[in-house]
Amino acid sequence: MSLMVYDLAISKVPLRCLYSYKSQEKLEPGERVIVDLHGRKTIGYVVKVSDKPASRELKEILQRLDRVSYLDQSDVEALESISERFFSPPGLLFDLAFPSFIDDYAETVVESLTPLVGFESLPLGEFIKKYGHAALKNQLDKRYIQLKKCFGRKTPRPRVSKWYVVVRNGLKALTRVHDEIEYDVISFLLTNGYATVEQLIESVGVSTKKIKQMQQEGLIELTQFLPVNTENLELAEAQLEPAPRGVTVLSGSTIGERLRSVIAFMKKITDENKSVLILVPFTSLTYMVAGFIRKFLNVTVQVYHARMSRSQRAKVWLDSVGDKTQVVVGTRVAAFLPMRNLGLIVTEESDDDAYYQFEDPVYDALELAETRARLRDIPFVICSSEPRLIDFHRREHLKWLRIPKENLNSDVSIVDVRQSGSILSEDLVESVRKTISEERASVILVRRKGFAPYVVCFACNHVLMCPNCDVALSFHKSQNVFKCHQCGYVRKAQSECPNCGAKALYPKGVGTERVERLLKYHLPGARIVRLESEELEPFEVQEQFLKLQTNEIDVLIGSRIVLQGFGTDRVGLICILDYDGLLSQPDYNTRLRMFQTMRKIRSNFTSARILIQTFQPQDGFLRDVFTVNSEDFYLEELKKRKEVNYPPFCDLVQVILESDLPQTGWELVNYCVRSLQGETVLGPVEHPIFKMAGKYRYHFLIKTKDLRKTLSKFNDVLMKIGKMGWRVFVNPPRLW
C-alpha cells in the first residue's frame, strides 16, 4: 500500500493544532497510534486523512495501539468541530473521550499476520514467556506479528461507598416472604422508604448473607439511586413526543414532568437496542434523574461524572463502547462518552452555566451534544423551565414543545431590608416559623457558601484579601479557615488584623453557614439542614431531598443546588436572601440568568410562597419577573441585543492575558488588539479581578460575524508574540 498522510490530535498536548504523520497502513478515524513527538513517544488520535503530500520531513507512525477505533467517525468530526469553534487543543478534547485510565483494563495481545508463526493470537506476557523478547522484536520488524490492545478481558470492579436497599414490587413483596426476618426487612423498608445495608443490619439484625439471598430472590434491590417520589407522575396516555430527528425544545414545568414527557420516546429508543444519553448540570442531579428513569424504564441505568472513581468511570466507558443498551445520566464530561449505539441525547436544565467548561480544554457540552446528534442524525431534546435565548431566537427552525402548568404561584413577598439590623428579616423568620407550624418545609437560597464572604477589621476597616488574588477571603466557620474561592488558597482563621494588629477581625456578609447558625438561634426546635455539594458525596445529596419530601427536614439551606430537587410539593416557602448580589453581576447575561432562575423557582415550587429580601424594593425587574410573559421578555431581550450587536446576533469572544508582570502584560495585550485590524474589539482593560493566582490579568472582547476568520487572525498574532498566558472563551455564559 502507498504511503498515506494522517492528521493527528496528540494526547496531553495543550496546542491548538493537528500534527501530520505518514503510514503504510490504512487507519480509521479515532484510532489511537504511537508517534514520536519531539523525541518522546506519545499517543495520537487519527482525526482524518491529511491533504498534505507524503514527504521525507514527515515522521512515520510508529505503532497502531488498538488497531480499531472505539470512536464513531461522526464523534471524531464533532470533536474536531468543537476544537475549532472553541479554540481548544484537540488532543485534550480527545483525551476526555478516551481517558488514559481505560488502558488499565486493556490487555496487549500478539496477533499473527502469517501462518508461519504457528498461532493466531497470544497475550503479550505469554508470548514473551514462550519465545522471549528477541523473538518479539524480530517478528515485529519482519511484520510477522502485530500488537493490539483488547478491552473486555479485564473487568473493572468499582467499589461503591454506600449501597441503598429498596423493596421491589412494593407491598406485593410481603406476599412472597419466606420467614420472619424477611418480613421484618420488607416492613422496615416499606415504612422508611429505603435503608443502607448498615442501617438494616443494625435495626433489623439481618445478616449480609441474608440480604444477598433476598436480593437474589427479587424481594429487594441494592442500588445507588434512591426512589424518587412519583405518586403524581404516572405515565400518561398522551405524550409530548420529540421529532424523530433534529432538535426539539421542551420547556415549562418541573424536571420530573419534562422527563416524563419524553420517557415513552426513550423507551422506543431502548426497545430498538439503542442507548440514551441524558446530560444534567450537577453531579448530585445525576443520581436523582437516574432514580427517576429507573421507575419507568426496565433498562440498565448508569451515571457518569468527574467525581466518580477511575474504576467506576471505566466500567461505564467500557459498557458504552460495547453493544450494551443502556441509559447514561451524566454531567458535561459525559458528552464525550463514545456510546457506539447511541440513539437519543437529552439535556436537562439546559439554561445552566455548568455545561460550559472554563478550564482547558474549553468547550460547551450542549454544543458538543447537539453536534454529535446532528452528525449521527439522531434526535436531540433540550429541556429547561425556560428556554435558552439562542433556542428562542432560532425557534422557527426547531420543534417547540411547552408543558402547560396551571395555577402557577403568584404569592410573592418583597421585603425591604434597608432598615433591617439583621441578615434575616423579621418577615423571613416569621414566615419560616409559620411554614413549620403548617408542617411544610422552607428552602433558603443563599448565593455564597461558607459563614461569611469577607472578613473586615473593625479597628482600621482593613479587608482580609487573598495573597494571590484581588478577592476577599471568605470565612468558613465549620472548618475554622479563611478561604479563597478563586485560587483555593486556605489558611487557619485568626482574630488579629494583619494590618493594625488589633483583635478586631469580624466576618461580614451572608453565607450559608451563617444563615444556618442564625436560623438555629431563632428556631431552636426546627430541623435545619445546610446542603453543600462539596461536603457530601454526590449520591448523598439525594438523601437530603428525599428527607425533605418525607417530613424529616423543616428548613433546607444552600446555594443554587437547592433548586434541583424532585418532588417539591411539601415546600411551602422559598426565600431568596441575596437578590441584589445576584442581579449586580457585571455580565451581559445577568438579567437573562436571573429571569431563568426566578421562573425555575416558580415552576419547581408551585405551591410555595416566595419571599425575596432586597435593598431595592422598587426595582422594576423584580416587580415584573414573575408576571411578565416569557415570550415578551425574550423578544425585548433580543431587541436590546440586536441594537448593540450582542449574541445571538454575533459571536462574542473573551480574550484574557495572564502575566507575571503587569507592565509586560499591558504592552502585550495592547499589541494584540492593535494587530486585530478590522475586528470589533472592546478594550483592552484590566480584568475585574485584576490579580488571580499570582498572575496579573487584562482582557478584551471581540464581536464577530465570522468566528473562524477571527480566531485564525488571533492565532496568527499569537504565533508572533507567543501563546503562553492567553485564555480564550467563545460565547461564554458569563464573563470569566
Side-chain angles (χ1 to χ4, degrees):
M1 182 178 176
S2 60
L3 280 173
M4 296 188 69
V5 179
Y6 295 94
D7 288 338
L8 309 183
I10 305 300
S11 175
K12 296 180 174 62
V13 172
L15 297 178
R16 304 174 180 93
C17 60
L18 299 176
Y19 294 79
S20 297
Y21 287 83
K22 57 188 177 182
S23 174
Q24 295 182 3
E25 298 184 76
K26 185 177 180 180
L27 307 178
E28 298 181 43
E31 184 177 343
R32 296 191 304 166
V33 295
I34 300 294
V35 295
D36 181 335
L37 180 70
H38 307 313
R40 66 180 181 88
K41 290 183 179 180
T42 187
I43 292 175
Y45 304 91
V46 177
V47 176
K48 58 187 176 182
V49 176
S50 178
D51 53 8
K52 294 181 181 179
S55 64
R56 285 188 176 182
E57 288 74 25
L58 291 178
K59 294 181 181 179
E60 191 162 350
I61 290 173
L62 302 177
Q63 178 188 337
R64 296 175 69 183
L65 198 56
D66 307 312
R67 306 199 76 84
V68 296
S69 176
Y70 289 94
L71 305 180
D72 189 89
Q73 181 170 345
S74 63
D75 291 343
V76 174
E77 294 174 14
L79 291 174
E80 183 187 11
S81 173
I82 292 298
S83 171
E84 293 176 354
R85 177 162 176 76
F86 289 91
F87 205 61
S88 286
L92 300 186
L93 290 172
F94 275 86
D95 286 340
L96 292 176
F98 209 120
S100 59
F101 56 77
I102 296 299
D103 285 324
D104 295 342
Y105 305 96
E107 183 176 45
T108 303
V109 174
V110 180
E111 285 191 340
S112 167
L113 297 176
T114 170
L116 298 176
V117 297
F119 65 87
E120 290 185 2
S121 176
L122 280 177
L124 178 60
E126 188 176 329
F127 180 95
I128 293 174
K129 185 177 181 181
K130 191 172 184 178
Y131 300 105
H133 287 279
L136 176 67
K137 184 178 185 306
N138 182 45
Q139 293 189 33
L140 282 171
D141 292 341
K142 293 181 178 179
R143 298 189 182 277
Y144 290 167
I145 59 174
Q146 65 184 15
L147 298 180
K148 176 181 177 181
K149 283 201 171 185
C150 294
F151 293 100
R153 302 193 181 199
K154 295 180 181 179
T155 304
R157 300 189 181 279
R159 301 178 68 180
V160 178
S161 54
K162 183 182 286 189
W163 285 106
Y164 298 106
V165 186
V166 296
V167 176
R168 298 192 67 179
N169 300 317
L171 288 171
K172 293 180 181 178
L174 287 173
T175 64
R176 298 174 51 208
V177 298
H178 299 95
D179 53 43
E180 186 176 345
I181 192 67
E182 290 186 355
Y183 182 88
D184 290 344
V185 169
I186 299 299
S187 298
F188 182 86
L189 292 175
L190 288 174
T191 302
N192 295 278
Y194 71 95
T196 63
V197 172
E198 293 77 10
Q199 287 171 336
L200 268 185
I201 293 172
E202 182 179 346
S203 301
V204 184
V206 64
S207 65
T208 54
K209 182 179 179 180
K210 186 66 173 178
I211 291 174
K212 290 180 180 178
Q213 179 187 330
M214 292 180 68
Q215 183 185 19
Q216 292 170 354
E217 293 172 352
L219 291 171
I220 60 175
E221 180 180 359
L222 270 65
T223 178
Q224 284 185 279
F225 315 128
L226 288 176
V228 175
N229 180 15
T230 56
E231 291 179 7
N232 301 318
L233 289 175
E234 297 303 322
L235 287 180
E237 291 293 329
Q239 298 291 330
L240 295 174
E241 187 165 306
R245 59 178 56 87
V247 180
T248 299
V249 177
L250 178 62
S251 61
S253 197
T254 62
I255 297 176
E257 291 193 354
R258 291 194 297 270
L259 286 173
R260 182 183 66 131
S261 296
V262 295
I263 214 159
F265 188 73
M266 292 168 57
K267 187 176 187 306
K268 290 180 183 178
I269 299 297
T270 56
D271 286 346
E272 294 172 1
N273 296 321
K274 295 180 181 179
S275 294
V276 177
L277 174 62
I278 302 176
L279 298 179
V280 296
F282 304 114
T283 54
S284 55
L285 198 53
T286 61
Y287 294 89
M288 288 186 277
V289 171
F292 184 90
I293 297 299
R294 281 173 60 88
K295 292 284 288 187
F296 297 115
L297 287 186
N298 185 24
V299 66
T300 301
V301 181
Q302 300 195 80
V303 298
Y304 189 83
H305 56 79
R307 292 181 64 182
M308 296 168 67
S309 69
R310 288 187 166 198
S311 59
Q312 288 173 328
R313 289 175 64 186
K315 182 181 185 307
V316 181
W317 192 94
L318 291 170
D319 287 345
S320 296
V321 299
D323 295 326
K324 191 169 184 178
T325 300
Q326 60 178 345
V327 175
V328 176
V329 184
T331 53
R332 61 175 179 251
V333 71
F336 292 86
L337 261 181
M339 300 174 74
R340 190 170 294 276
N341 61 342
L342 186 61
L344 169 67
I345 303 178
V346 180
T347 63
E348 253 302 342
E349 302 285 3
S350 60
D351 56 317
D352 202 283
D353 297 356
Y355 285 113
Y356 197 97
Q357 165 105 346
F358 282 93
E359 301 301 322
D360 278 338
V362 175
Y363 64 89
D364 186 333
L366 294 178
E367 287 210 29
L368 173 57
E370 183 170 345
T371 304
R372 289 184 67 186
R374 174 173 52 80
L375 293 174
R376 284 181 178 241
D377 197 25
I378 62 175
F380 178 57
V381 183
I382 305 173
C383 302
S384 60
S385 296
E386 295 294 342
R388 297 184 300 169
L389 187 65
I390 181 65
D391 295 330
F392 182 84
H393 180 58
R394 56 177 183 161
R395 60 193 181 281
E396 294 179 0
H397 306 287
L398 309 177
K399 184 172 181 180
W400 195 271
L401 301 172
R402 188 170 183 90
I403 303 175
K405 189 69 178 179
E406 297 179 358
N407 300 321
L408 285 176
N409 173 72
S410 58
D411 185 2
V412 180
S413 299
I414 310 298
V415 179
D416 184 355
V417 292
R418 286 175 292 184
Q419 305 302 322
S420 177
S422 172
I423 292 170
L424 304 181
S425 65
E426 292 183 10
D427 289 352
L428 186 147
V429 174
E430 286 305 312
S431 294
V432 173
R433 184 177 285 115
K434 178 183 176 184
T435 304
I436 293 174
S437 70
E438 296 169 351
E439 298 186 350
R440 302 189 71 188
S442 299
V443 171
I444 314 293
L445 177 64
V446 186
R447 184 168 63 99
R448 299 292 188 91
K449 300 172 184 177
F451 187 83
Y454 65 101
V455 180
V456 65
C457 175
F458 270 2
C460 66
N461 291 324
H462 174 74
V463 176
L464 212 57
M465 302 294 290
C466 172
N468 307 315
C469 309
D470 284 339
V471 296
L473 291 174
S474 63
F475 176 47
H476 289 251
K477 193 176 185 69
S478 61
Q479 301 168 292
N480 196 34
V481 296
F482 297 140
K483 182 183 292 187
C484 174
H485 289 282
Q486 296 294 334
C487 70
Y489 171 83
V490 177
R491 82 178 194 216
K492 188 175 179 180
Q494 63 190 61
S495 59
E496 298 84 4
C497 173
N499 185 53
C500 69
K503 291 187 176 182
L505 289 181
Y506 187 79
K508 296 281 285 184
V510 182
T512 53
E513 286 184 35
R514 189 169 205 165
V515 172
E516 177 190 28
R517 189 181 184 92
L518 286 171
L519 276 175
K520 285 183 175 179
Y521 169 77
H522 287 292
L523 307 166
R527 296 165 298 178
I528 299 171
V529 172
R530 176 172 52 87
L531 190 59
E532 300 284 6
S533 56
E534 294 86 353
E535 297 179 7
L536 294 172
E537 289 292 334
F539 60 85
E540 290 178 320
V541 175
Q542 64 185 327
E543 284 188 28
Q544 304 303 327
F545 284 114
L546 193 60
K547 288 178 180 178
L548 187 74
Q549 296 172 26
T550 55
N551 198 25
E552 296 178 59
I553 293 176
D554 293 321
V555 183
L556 188 66
I557 305 166
S559 53
R560 58 181 180 164
I561 192 174
V562 297
L563 304 181
Q564 307 300 324
F566 277 83
T568 53
D569 288 345
R570 190 177 160 266
V571 176
L573 175 70
I574 179 163
C575 304
I576 302 169
L577 255 62
D578 191 14
Y579 166 81
D580 305 297
L582 290 168
L583 195 58
S584 63
Q585 302 300 304
D587 186 61
Y588 73 101
N589 271 330
T590 296
R591 273 174 51 89
L592 176 63
R593 189 182 306 114
M594 278 296 294
F595 175 80
Q596 292 167 336
T597 299
M598 294 299 185
R599 299 303 275 256
K600 181 189 298 183
I601 290 171
R602 194 180 74 161
S603 293
N604 286 357
F605 302 91
T606 54
S607 60
R609 302 186 302 277
I610 300 173
L611 185 148
I612 303 174
Q613 291 192 167
T614 178
F615 288 91
Q616 305 174 58
Q618 303 304 319
D619 178 60
F621 177 80
L622 178 58
R623 185 180 63 250
D624 299 334
V625 67
F626 291 102
T627 57
V628 67
N629 180 277
S630 296
E631 184 171 342
D632 291 341
F633 175 85
Y634 281 108
L635 289 173
E636 181 64 23
E637 186 71 16
L638 287 172
K639 179 182 176 182
K640 292 178 180 177
R641 294 186 179 214
K642 189 173 184 178
E643 290 173 354
V644 294
N645 191 31
Y646 263 90
F649 299 99
C650 73
D651 285 305
L652 185 71
V653 183
Q654 183 189 21
V655 180
I656 298 175
L657 174 62
E658 300 174 330
S659 174
D660 292 324
L661 300 172
Q663 185 60 35
T664 302
W666 180 242
E667 292 172 0
L668 278 174
V669 76
N670 273 280
Y671 176 83
C672 180
V673 169
R674 289 195 302 270
S675 301
L676 294 171
Q677 295 179 2
E679 299 292 339
T680 303
V681 180
L682 305 179
V685 294
E686 290 184 2
H687 193 278
I689 304 178
F690 182 43
K691 186 181 179 184
M692 181 183 288
K695 302 286 186 180
Y696 297 92
R697 308 196 304 165
Y698 301 91
H699 77 140
F700 59 89
L701 303 176
I702 309 173
K703 297 178 183 179
T704 178
K705 299 283 188 179
D706 190 340
L707 181 62
R708 184 186 293 269
K709 181 180 177 181
T710 298
L711 292 179
S712 177
K713 189 184 295 185
F714 176 69
N715 190 60
D716 291 341
V717 176
L718 295 193
M719 295 295 288
K720 297 177 184 177
I721 63 178
K723 298 183 178 181
M724 294 295 293
W726 295 93
R727 306 290 304 277
V728 178
F729 305 106
V730 177
N731 295 326
R734 53 183 170 82
L735 296 183
W736 188 80

